[in-house]
Amino acid sequence: MDGLNALLVKIGRSVGGVVGTLYQAGRDSVDTVIRNVIPFMAFISFIIGLILTTGVGTWIANGISGSASSLGGLLIVSVVCAIPVLSPLLGPGAVIAQIVGTLLGVEIGKGTIPAQYALPALFAINPQVGCDFIPVGLALGEAEPETVEVGVPAVLFSRLVTGPLSVVIAYLASFGLYSSSN
Protein backbone atom coordinates (compact mmCIF):
# COMPACT_ATOMS: atom_id res chain seq x y z
CA MET A 1 0.00 0.00 0.00
CA ASP A 2 2.88 2.37 0.75
CA GLY A 3 4.26 1.71 -2.71
CA LEU A 4 0.92 2.67 -4.30
CA ASN A 5 0.73 5.86 -2.22
CA ALA A 6 4.30 6.77 -3.17
CA LEU A 7 3.49 6.19 -6.84
CA LEU A 8 0.35 8.36 -6.66
CA VAL A 9 2.26 11.13 -4.88
CA LYS A 10 5.01 10.97 -7.51
CA ILE A 11 2.46 11.13 -10.37
CA GLY A 12 0.62 13.99 -8.63
CA ARG A 13 3.81 16.00 -8.22
CA SER A 14 4.82 15.39 -11.84
CA VAL A 15 1.43 16.42 -13.17
CA GLY A 16 1.42 19.43 -10.84
CA GLY A 17 4.87 20.45 -12.08
CA VAL A 18 3.81 20.20 -15.72
CA VAL A 19 0.58 22.13 -15.10
CA GLY A 20 2.47 24.79 -13.14
CA THR A 21 5.05 25.16 -15.91
CA LEU A 22 2.37 25.45 -18.61
CA TYR A 23 0.41 27.95 -16.49
CA GLN A 24 3.51 30.14 -16.00
CA ALA A 25 4.37 29.92 -19.69
CA GLY A 26 0.85 31.11 -20.52
CA ARG A 27 1.18 34.03 -18.08
CA ASP A 28 4.56 34.98 -19.55
CA SER A 29 3.15 34.81 -23.10
CA VAL A 30 0.21 37.06 -22.29
CA ASP A 31 2.51 39.49 -20.47
CA THR A 32 4.88 39.63 -23.47
CA VAL A 33 2.01 40.23 -25.88
CA ILE A 34 0.57 43.04 -23.75
CA ARG A 35 3.90 44.74 -23.08
CA ASN A 36 5.63 44.33 -26.46
CA VAL A 37 3.52 43.06 -29.33
CA ILE A 38 0.33 45.13 -28.97
CA PRO A 39 2.17 48.49 -28.68
CA PHE A 40 4.25 47.52 -31.73
CA MET A 41 1.09 46.68 -33.68
CA ALA A 42 -0.40 50.05 -32.75
CA PHE A 43 2.78 51.84 -33.86
CA ILE A 44 2.89 49.97 -37.17
CA SER A 45 -0.79 50.73 -37.80
CA PHE A 46 -0.06 54.40 -37.20
CA ILE A 47 2.92 54.37 -39.59
CA ILE A 48 0.94 52.57 -42.32
CA GLY A 49 -1.89 55.06 -41.93
CA LEU A 50 0.52 57.98 -42.07
CA ILE A 51 2.23 56.65 -45.20
CA LEU A 52 -1.07 55.95 -46.96
CA THR A 53 -2.79 59.17 -45.90
CA THR A 54 0.05 61.53 -46.77
CA GLY A 55 0.74 59.81 -50.08
CA VAL A 56 4.45 59.59 -49.30
CA GLY A 57 4.48 55.93 -50.27
CA THR A 58 2.92 56.60 -53.66
CA TRP A 59 5.19 59.58 -54.24
CA ILE A 60 8.36 57.58 -53.50
CA ALA A 61 7.12 54.58 -55.48
CA ASN A 62 6.27 56.64 -58.55
CA GLY A 63 9.62 58.42 -58.28
CA ILE A 64 11.70 55.27 -58.24
CA SER A 65 9.64 53.00 -60.49
CA GLY A 66 11.00 54.68 -63.64
CA SER A 67 14.50 53.56 -62.66
CA ALA A 68 13.62 49.89 -62.86
CA SER A 69 14.39 49.31 -66.52
CA SER A 70 18.12 48.84 -65.98
CA LEU A 71 20.47 47.19 -63.50
CA GLY A 72 21.80 50.58 -62.40
CA GLY A 73 18.27 51.83 -61.81
CA LEU A 74 17.41 48.74 -59.78
CA LEU A 75 20.51 49.28 -57.66
CA ILE A 76 19.35 52.86 -57.01
CA VAL A 77 15.89 51.57 -56.03
CA SER A 78 17.51 49.06 -53.69
CA VAL A 79 19.68 51.70 -52.03
CA VAL A 80 16.71 54.06 -51.58
CA CYS A 81 14.61 51.31 -50.01
CA ALA A 82 17.49 50.27 -47.72
CA ILE A 83 18.47 53.72 -46.37
CA PRO A 84 18.71 53.08 -42.61
CA VAL A 85 16.39 55.95 -41.69
CA LEU A 86 13.78 55.03 -44.33
CA SER A 87 13.80 51.24 -44.18
CA PRO A 88 12.03 50.90 -40.78
CA LEU A 89 9.36 53.29 -42.07
CA LEU A 90 9.01 51.54 -45.43
CA GLY A 91 8.79 48.09 -43.91
CA PRO A 92 5.37 48.28 -42.21
CA GLY A 93 2.85 46.91 -44.63
CA ALA A 94 5.54 47.02 -47.34
CA VAL A 95 3.67 49.96 -48.84
CA ILE A 96 6.48 51.04 -51.16
CA ALA A 97 7.24 47.46 -52.23
CA GLN A 98 3.58 46.84 -53.05
CA ILE A 99 3.21 49.96 -55.15
CA VAL A 100 6.53 49.62 -56.97
CA GLY A 101 5.95 45.89 -57.48
CA THR A 102 2.57 46.57 -59.06
CA LEU A 103 3.96 49.30 -61.29
CA LEU A 104 6.88 47.10 -62.37
CA GLY A 105 4.60 44.13 -63.00
CA VAL A 106 2.42 46.20 -65.30
CA GLU A 107 5.44 47.53 -67.19
CA ILE A 108 6.96 44.05 -67.52
CA GLY A 109 3.60 42.76 -68.73
CA LYS A 110 3.38 45.50 -71.36
CA GLY A 111 6.93 44.74 -72.50
CA THR A 112 8.28 48.17 -71.57
CA ILE A 113 10.69 46.57 -69.10
CA PRO A 114 12.33 43.30 -70.17
CA ALA A 115 11.14 40.22 -68.24
CA GLN A 116 14.72 39.50 -67.18
CA TYR A 117 14.42 42.37 -64.69
CA ALA A 118 11.54 40.74 -62.79
CA LEU A 119 13.75 38.77 -60.37
CA PRO A 120 16.23 41.60 -59.67
CA ALA A 121 13.28 44.01 -59.26
CA LEU A 122 11.85 41.76 -56.56
CA PHE A 123 15.09 42.01 -54.61
CA ALA A 124 15.44 45.74 -55.34
CA ILE A 125 12.11 46.68 -53.75
CA ASN A 126 12.49 44.50 -50.65
CA PRO A 127 15.73 45.33 -48.79
CA GLN A 128 13.64 46.92 -46.03
CA VAL A 129 12.00 43.61 -45.13
CA GLY A 130 12.26 42.98 -41.41
CA CYS A 131 13.89 46.32 -40.58
CA ASP A 132 10.73 47.49 -38.83
CA PHE A 133 10.75 44.44 -36.55
CA ILE A 134 14.37 44.54 -35.38
CA PRO A 135 13.79 46.68 -32.26
CA VAL A 136 10.74 44.62 -31.32
CA GLY A 137 12.55 41.36 -31.90
CA LEU A 138 15.37 42.49 -29.64
CA ALA A 139 12.84 43.59 -27.02
CA LEU A 140 11.06 40.24 -27.19
CA GLY A 141 14.42 38.57 -26.74
CA GLU A 142 14.96 40.80 -23.70
CA ALA A 143 18.20 42.15 -25.13
CA GLU A 144 20.32 44.51 -23.09
CA PRO A 145 20.04 48.23 -24.00
CA GLU A 146 23.62 48.19 -25.27
CA THR A 147 22.76 45.30 -27.60
CA VAL A 148 19.81 47.27 -28.99
CA GLU A 149 21.99 50.37 -29.44
CA VAL A 150 24.51 48.40 -31.48
CA GLY A 151 22.26 45.75 -33.03
CA VAL A 152 19.62 47.94 -34.66
CA PRO A 153 22.04 50.18 -36.60
CA ALA A 154 24.20 47.17 -37.49
CA VAL A 155 21.29 45.34 -39.10
CA LEU A 156 20.01 48.48 -40.84
CA PHE A 157 23.42 49.25 -42.33
CA SER A 158 23.96 45.62 -43.30
CA ARG A 159 20.73 45.78 -45.34
CA LEU A 160 22.17 48.81 -47.11
CA VAL A 161 25.05 46.58 -48.25
CA THR A 162 23.21 43.29 -48.81
CA GLY A 163 20.24 44.88 -50.64
CA PRO A 164 22.17 45.99 -53.74
CA LEU A 165 24.32 42.85 -53.56
CA SER A 166 21.18 40.70 -53.72
CA VAL A 167 20.02 42.67 -56.79
CA VAL A 168 23.28 41.89 -58.59
CA ILE A 169 23.07 38.20 -57.64
CA ALA A 170 19.43 38.06 -58.80
CA TYR A 171 20.40 39.79 -62.04
CA LEU A 172 23.11 37.20 -62.70
CA ALA A 173 20.72 34.38 -61.76
CA SER A 174 18.10 35.68 -64.20
CA PHE A 175 20.25 35.08 -67.30
CA GLY A 176 18.44 32.57 -69.48
CA LEU A 177 15.49 32.48 -67.08
CA TYR A 178 13.12 34.14 -69.51
CA SER A 179 14.17 32.85 -72.91
CA SER A 180 11.50 32.96 -75.56
CA SER A 181 10.65 29.66 -77.21
CA ASN A 182 9.24 30.81 -80.53
Side-chain angles (χ1 to χ4, degrees), residues 23 31 69 82 86 90 105 126 130 134 137 156 178-179:
Y23 178 73
D31 183 53
S69 59
L86 282 180
L90 299 179
N126 283 314
I134 294 164
L156 294 179
Y178 300 101
S179 61

Side-chain angles (χ1 to χ4, degrees), residues 156-178:
L156 294 179
F157 280 105
S158 73
R159 297 297 286 172
L160 189 60
V161 173
T162 59
L165 184 60
S166 67
V167 172
V168 171
I169 293 170
Y171 178 74
L172 295 174
S174 70
F175 286 141
L177 193 60
Y178 300 101

Side-chain angles (χ1 to χ4, degrees), residues 84 134-135 138 146-160:
I134 294 164
L138 289 172
E146 296 82 18
T147 304
V148 175
E149 286 176 19
V150 173
V152 171
V155 171
L156 294 179
F157 280 105
S158 73
R159 297 297 286 172
L160 189 60

Side-chain angles (χ1 to χ4, degrees), residues 93-104:
V95 176
I96 305 299
Q98 289 178 36
I99 296 169
V100 173
T102 302
L103 295 172
L104 291 177

